[in-house]
Amino acid sequence: MSEITKKLLENTSKPLGAPALLVLEDGAVFSGTSCAAQGEVFGEICFNTSLEGYLEVITDPSYAGQIITMTYPQIGNYGVNREDCQSEKPALRGLVVRDMCQVPSNWRSELTLPDFLRENNVVAIEGVDTRALVRHVRDNGAQRAVLSTLDTDAESLLAKVRASESIVGVNLAETVSRSEKATFGIDDLPKTQAFALTAPAPAKYKVVAYDCGAKLSIFQNLVRVGCELTAVPWDTPAEDVLAMNPDGVFLSNGPGDPDAVSGTYTQVEKLLGKVPVFGICLGHQMMSKAAGAQIEKLKFGHRGGNHPVMNLRTHRVEITAQNHGFGLLFPTLGELIPEESAGETEHRDDLRFWVEKCVAPVVRNEKFGRIQLTHVNLNDGTAEGIAFLDIPAFSVQYHPEASPGPTDAHYLFTAFSRLMDGREDYLDIDIAADRLAGWKFGGEVNA
């Protein structure tokens, strides 16, 4: 930072932070100043491309073990409203921004983001060239990083980060899951959001939700479509879940390597075919693992609110919110069934092949029969959703609850209720008619 910049900052309402350093395991160094708690943290560097919703991102338990870089330049400009938080406390390791706003402007704001971060002991750095950092991660892939306000010696930090633990092979879900079951109903919906949202549907379905690091807004959206939720720990035995006699089972989002969360997917294997199941993000991976599929680690993951996904059943494109670093390898679910895959017999690594053919291919799975590819990421051709055709179960890789993000995928909560009603066409919903469902500004769409 130049001397003139220091002098300018000294005469503004923005305090001048202490020096801070971000060092990646490949030796890349990014300098800045501290803008939250003091400390030294290690995690996997990642980036989120959302233009808004920084509080929901920061409090998403799926970021456990990671240092988040926000690509939008100014963060904190509308402050913090605690009812928008997605968990009781942030699970991320650290935060990287270009500019941290110290004086927010919003009628719902309760406190500044820097104060919230300090309150939760989150280390953050500002003044970083986040465009350069994101380009570096895109080119070189996700990797370990260290963020420090205590040690600003690059060589020292490089040695430390190369000795730190990777998130691969680590069960991070158990670190953010609840320790005992809890219920969620209409009375638990945030009161400060009532100005924008219509009244929820009356409770109709009894649903057990595996909490592997669930975002609260996902539970809230399930409640809004008529679900009475009982959330249970990540490793709850399937026998205990079935003993609750649920109308359906929900598998939540969560952090880290799905291969390490055997305590969940071994139970999911026992549940599939016994009760309707809906999985989101890590829940999608848990269903895939239960069916015997392989999971790959993506180069730099999908994180943000602008990822285009094709629904192969309706041929509609959804702009989706995503947060994951691992993904399903669809060909590992089984061999293609030619008569249900437009005559095709060979798998393709790039699943945009099926987008071009306007076909939702079907494989024969050894455990659960036919499984259909329902959604494909249009950016990189990876799998974004599957449906089990011989048992009542489906899952998607992205987050449909719009916290933060677009509302295009809201229909998936409606689809789950239709699945529990026994409808075969549960996924065939026009998103143009559903995307504003539940919002007061939706007009006749809400009727």
Side-chain angles (χ1 to χ4, degrees):
M1 183 180 296
S2 67
E3 287 301 317
I4 190 169
T5 300
K6 291 180 181 179
K7 289 180 180 180
L8 286 171
L9 285 174
E10 288 171 356
N11 291 286
T12 66
S13 59
K14 184 167 183 173
L16 184 62
L21 212 59
L22 173 72
V23 178
L24 278 53
E25 68 174 290
D26 66 0
V29 178
F30 298 87
S31 61
T33 57
S34 172
C35 55
Q38 300 293 305
E40 186 171 287
V41 291
F42 299 84
E44 182 180 83
I45 191 71
C46 66
F47 60 89
N48 186 294
T49 58
S50 296
L51 301 183
E52 46 76 36
Y54 54 78
L55 180 62
E56 290 91 337
V57 170
I58 290 167
T59 56
D60 180 353
S62 295
Y63 281 109
Q66 294 181 311
I67 297 173
I68 308 172
T69 303
M70 301 300 295
T71 62
Y72 190 75
Q74 186 179 66
I75 300 299
N77 56 331
Y78 53 85
V80 168
N81 182 291
R82 296 182 193 277
E83 283 200 339
D84 295 340
C85 292
Q86 297 302 302
S87 58
E88 291 185 1
K89 60 181 181 179
L92 78 167
R93 297 281 174 83
L95 181 67
V96 182
V97 301
R98 175 60 178 164
D99 176 59
M100 180 68 78
C101 180
Q102 301 284 343
V103 185
S105 176
N106 190 313
W107 64 275
R108 296 179 70 237
S109 177
E110 298 175 17
L111 72 164
T112 70
L113 181 58
D115 285 343
F116 177 79
L117 295 174
R118 281 188 284 267
E119 181 182 289
N120 288 278
N121 199 34
V122 175
V123 180
I125 182 176
E126 68 171 323
V128 171
D129 185 345
T130 50
R131 292 178 299 176
L133 173 56
V134 169
R135 287 175 66 107
H136 185 85
V137 174
R138 286 178 61 89
D139 290 342
N140 298 281
Q143 52 188 292
R144 293 169 295 173
V146 56
L147 171 58
S148 182
T149 65
L150 307 178
D151 181 356
T152 56
D153 180 87
E155 291 300 322
S156 169
L157 291 175
L158 181 60
K160 292 178 184 177
V161 72
R162 288 178 174 173
S164 66
E165 182 182 48
S166 168
I167 68 169
V168 176
V170 178
N171 183 356
L172 290 170
E174 67 176 333
T175 69
V176 290
S177 176
R178 64 187 59 252
S179 58
E180 55 187 29
K181 67 180 181 180
T183 58
F184 289 85
I186 292 175
D187 292 340
D188 297 301
L189 298 177
K191 302 298 186 295
T192 63
Q193 296 178 2
F195 76 96
L197 299 171
T198 57
K204 178 182 178 181
Y205 311 99
K206 185 179 179 181
V207 173
V208 175
Y210 273 83
D211 182 358
C212 296
K215 296 175 70 176
L216 290 178
S217 58
I218 292 180
F219 283 177
Q220 291 159 5
N221 272 268
L222 288 167
V223 169
R224 290 187 181 280
V225 296
C227 297
E228 188 175 281
L229 288 180
T230 299
V232 297
W234 69 282
D235 58 349
T236 300
E239 295 77 12
D240 292 354
V241 171
L242 294 173
M244 299 180 200
N245 195 30
D247 297 307
V249 171
F250 173 73
L251 309 173
S252 85
N253 63 293
D257 185 351
D259 286 332
V261 196
S262 59
T264 301
Y265 66 74
T266 54
Q267 302 309 313
V268 173
E269 185 175 359
K270 301 174 186 178
L271 293 169
L272 289 171
K274 304 286 181 58
V275 62
V277 180
F278 173 34
I280 286 176
C281 199
L282 183 67
H284 161 74
Q285 297 164 0
M286 293 297 94
M287 290 175 66
S288 302
K289 289 287 296 179
Q294 295 177 18
I295 304 295
E296 67 172 338
K297 193 175 192 310
L298 303 177
K299 183 177 180 181
F300 49 79
H302 301 154
R303 297 177 182 89
N306 55 356
H307 292 255
V309 168
M310 170 70 83
N311 182 328
L312 295 176
R313 290 171 62 131
T314 64
H315 302 147
R316 285 280 195 178
V317 174
E318 307 161 27
I319 303 303
T320 67
Q322 306 207 9
N323 175 16
H324 60 103
F326 296 80
L328 160 68
L329 288 169
F330 177 72
T332 64
L333 280 171
E335 295 183 356
L336 287 170
I337 302 176
E339 55 267 32
E340 297 189 59
S341 306
E344 296 291 336
T345 60
E346 297 295 327
H347 277 294
R348 305 303 200 283
D349 291 333
D350 189 335
L351 300 179
R352 286 173 292 191
F353 170 83
W354 302 107
V355 173
E356 295 174 1
K357 292 185 71 70
C358 292
V359 170
V362 180
V363 299
R364 192 175 307 282
N365 183 260
E366 293 182 356
K367 296 181 178 180
F368 300 108
R370 296 173 301 153
I371 300 179
Q372 183 180 56
L373 176 68
T374 58
H375 297 78
V376 172
N377 189 301
L378 296 180
N379 283 338
D380 61 7
T382 54
E384 293 282 1
I386 56 175
F388 292 67
L389 301 184
D390 297 323
I391 60 173
F394 76 109
S395 61
V396 293
Q397 180 62 77
Y398 48 98
H399 292 196
E401 83 293 339
S403 291
T407 61
D408 292 18
H410 174 273
Y411 74 95
L412 292 164
F413 296 106
T414 305
F416 185 37
S417 66
R418 288 167 52 147
L419 179 68
M420 290 186 285
D421 286 335
R423 294 179 56 169
E424 292 187 2
D425 65 341
Y426 67 94
L427 265 179
D428 304 328
I429 299 173
D430 184 355
I431 66 170
D434 187 87
R435 67 188 302 270
L436 295 181
W439 294 87
K440 286 183 177 178
F441 53 72
E444 295 181 359
V445 176
N446 294 328

